[in-house]
Amino acid sequence: MDGIITLENVCWRRSGEEILKDINWTVNTGEHWAILGLNGSGKTSLLNIVTGYNYPTSGRVKVLDAEFGKSSLPDMRKKIGYVSSSLGRFSQTMNRETAENIIVSGKYASFGLYQEITDADYEKADDILNELRLSYLKGKTYNLMSQGEQRRILIGRALMAGPELLILDEPCSGLDVLAREDVLDMSEEVAGRSSHLLYVTHHIEEITNAITHVLLVRDGKIVAEGPKNEVLTDELLSDTYKIPVKVHWEGGRPWMSIIK
């Protein structure tokens, strides 16, 4: 595999409006990226291109050796794990499922179990629970978990299929500080596995040591992309967030304050 993601001159239009404009972006093997931008900046549209749910109006896309127009996108998606706060819409289905059943369901990309499950499936789910320090949740149903525990179990579910690319789309949305730090700790552990990580957020303080590169998006265009220490500057972030900001680093993580 010569690269994880390659987007060349990608544009995407919807109802005559250009949502993504001349996107050129490459994710190489061994890199873990954060994607930053305001609401409406194009982050979700970009993710939909990467996962093959939106097809570019123009340009070339290649993800995990699958070139759009020449490869099977359903097969490509099987190699991608996806976690988002929006998955809460499936909570009614998951509420009575145990932690291990939810993790096993990730093998089949389903919410709920509708296939015959093997002992090997449950053994792998146990391994994931142990590796992610979630074994204390075994046997506990989803409706009895805290919001932070639910989010972490969904990350475990995404790992069940052994994805080559794991997308965490605002995984800390709605979480308190303690739950957020638990999810961030887990994201660092995930980055140490074989998966490549895309971490999407509004908040630069969620960029942990595991993240190597950052993509800044504003109004459907790339403001900057590259190693995080080069991209997370006062000037570039002020441009991205459309307000003067100042960045400082603490504990290996960036933090941002508004300049009044």
Side-chain angles (χ1 to χ4, degrees), residues 142-188:
Y142 192 77
N143 64 312
L144 297 179
M145 298 178 197
S146 70
Q147 192 176 18
E149 289 172 337
Q150 290 176 348
R151 208 69 54 82
R152 288 154 64 204
I153 283 294
L154 290 177
I155 293 174
R157 174 185 177 274
L159 294 175
M160 181 69 187
E164 296 176 35
L165 176 63
L166 178 63
I167 299 174
L168 302 183
D169 182 12
E170 299 186 23
C172 297
S173 176
L175 300 184
D176 62 30
V177 173
L178 180 59
R180 182 189 72 174
E181 293 304 312
D182 285 341
V183 169
L184 293 178
D185 286 346
M186 182 176 289
S187 73
E188 288 218 282

Side-chain angles (χ1 to χ4, degrees), residues 99-100 103 125-126 128-141 144-153 178-179 182-183 186:
E100 57 270 31
I103 288 179
D126 282 345
I128 290 173
L129 285 169
N130 289 330
E131 288 174 19
L132 299 181
R133 300 192 305 278
L134 296 173
S135 55
Y136 73 95
L137 291 176
K138 185 175 180 180
K140 191 172 185 177
T141 55
L144 297 179
M145 298 178 197
S146 70
Q147 192 176 18
E149 289 172 337
Q150 290 176 348
R151 208 69 54 82
R152 288 154 64 204
I153 283 294
L178 180 59
D182 285 341
V183 169
M186 182 176 289

Side-chain angles (χ1 to χ4, degrees), residues 1-257:
M1 185 181 298
D2 55 1
I4 305 303
I5 300 170
T6 301
L7 275 64
E8 296 179 354
N9 304 315
V10 167
C11 296
W12 184 64
R13 297 181 181 87
R14 181 182 61 195
S15 303
E17 181 182 359
E18 196 169 41
I19 307 298
L20 295 177
K21 308 163 189 177
D22 197 27
I23 301 293
N24 289 280
W25 179 40
T26 300
V27 174
N28 295 307
T29 302
E31 296 174 350
H32 303 292
W33 284 73
I35 303 175
L36 296 176
L38 295 170
N39 284 335
S41 62
K43 301 190 304 298
T44 298
S45 298
L46 186 61
L47 289 185
N48 286 338
I49 293 285
V50 169
T51 52
Y53 289 106
N54 285 342
Y55 205 83
T57 305
S58 60
R60 174 176 175 264
V61 178
K62 188 176 182 182
V63 178
L64 299 174
D65 284 338
E67 185 165 355
F68 287 24
K70 300 180 180 180
S71 306
S72 167
L73 296 188
D75 286 345
M76 176 203 76
R77 291 189 199 108
K78 293 177 183 177
K79 302 175 184 178
I80 299 176
Y82 185 78
V83 177
S84 170
S85 58
S86 66
L87 295 180
R89 67 185 184 274
F90 298 106
S91 60
Q92 188 171 359
T93 302
M94 295 187 288
N95 273 341
R96 298 300 174 183
E97 294 284 358
T98 62
E100 57 270 31
N101 281 349
I102 290 170
I103 288 179
V104 167
S105 72
K107 177 181 178 179
Y108 305 98
S110 64
F111 289 93
L113 293 177
Y114 309 101
Q115 298 84 4
E116 184 175 350
I117 308 304
T118 67
D119 289 341
D121 290 334
Y122 280 118
E123 288 173 6
K124 184 172 182 179
D126 282 345
D127 288 342
I128 290 173
L129 285 169
N130 289 330
E131 288 174 19
L132 299 181
R133 300 192 305 278
L134 296 173
S135 55
Y136 73 95
L137 291 176
K138 185 175 180 180
K140 191 172 185 177
T141 55
Y142 192 77
N143 64 312
L144 297 179
M145 298 178 197
S146 70
Q147 192 176 18
E149 289 172 337
Q150 290 176 348
R151 208 69 54 82
R152 288 154 64 204
I153 283 294
L154 290 177
I155 293 174
R157 174 185 177 274
L159 294 175
M160 181 69 187
E164 296 176 35
L165 176 63
L166 178 63
I167 299 174
L168 302 183
D169 182 12
E170 299 186 23
C172 297
S173 176
L175 300 184
D176 62 30
V177 173
L178 180 59
R180 182 189 72 174
E181 293 304 312
D182 285 341
V183 169
L184 293 178
D185 286 346
M186 182 176 289
S187 73
E188 288 218 282
E189 293 179 23
V190 167
R193 300 164 67 102
S194 57
S195 294
H196 291 80
L197 182 64
L198 289 189
Y199 189 98
V200 184
T201 182
H202 303 287
H203 306 290
I204 71 168
E205 67 271 15
E206 294 178 10
I207 297 177
T208 64
N209 289 322
I211 298 296
T212 60
H213 291 68
V214 172
L215 177 73
L216 302 181
V217 184
R218 169 180 166 164
D219 298 332
K221 297 179 181 179
I222 292 178
V223 174
E225 49 89 18
K228 64 182 178 183
N229 291 334
E230 298 176 10
V231 171
L232 296 175
T233 66
D234 298 352
E235 181 180 3
L236 291 173
L237 285 170
S238 295
D239 190 9
T240 300
Y241 289 116
K242 305 181 183 182
I243 189 171
V245 303
K246 186 172 182 58
V247 181
H248 72 277
W249 294 78
E250 187 174 332
R253 283 162 60 179
W255 300 78
M256 185 175 73
S257 55

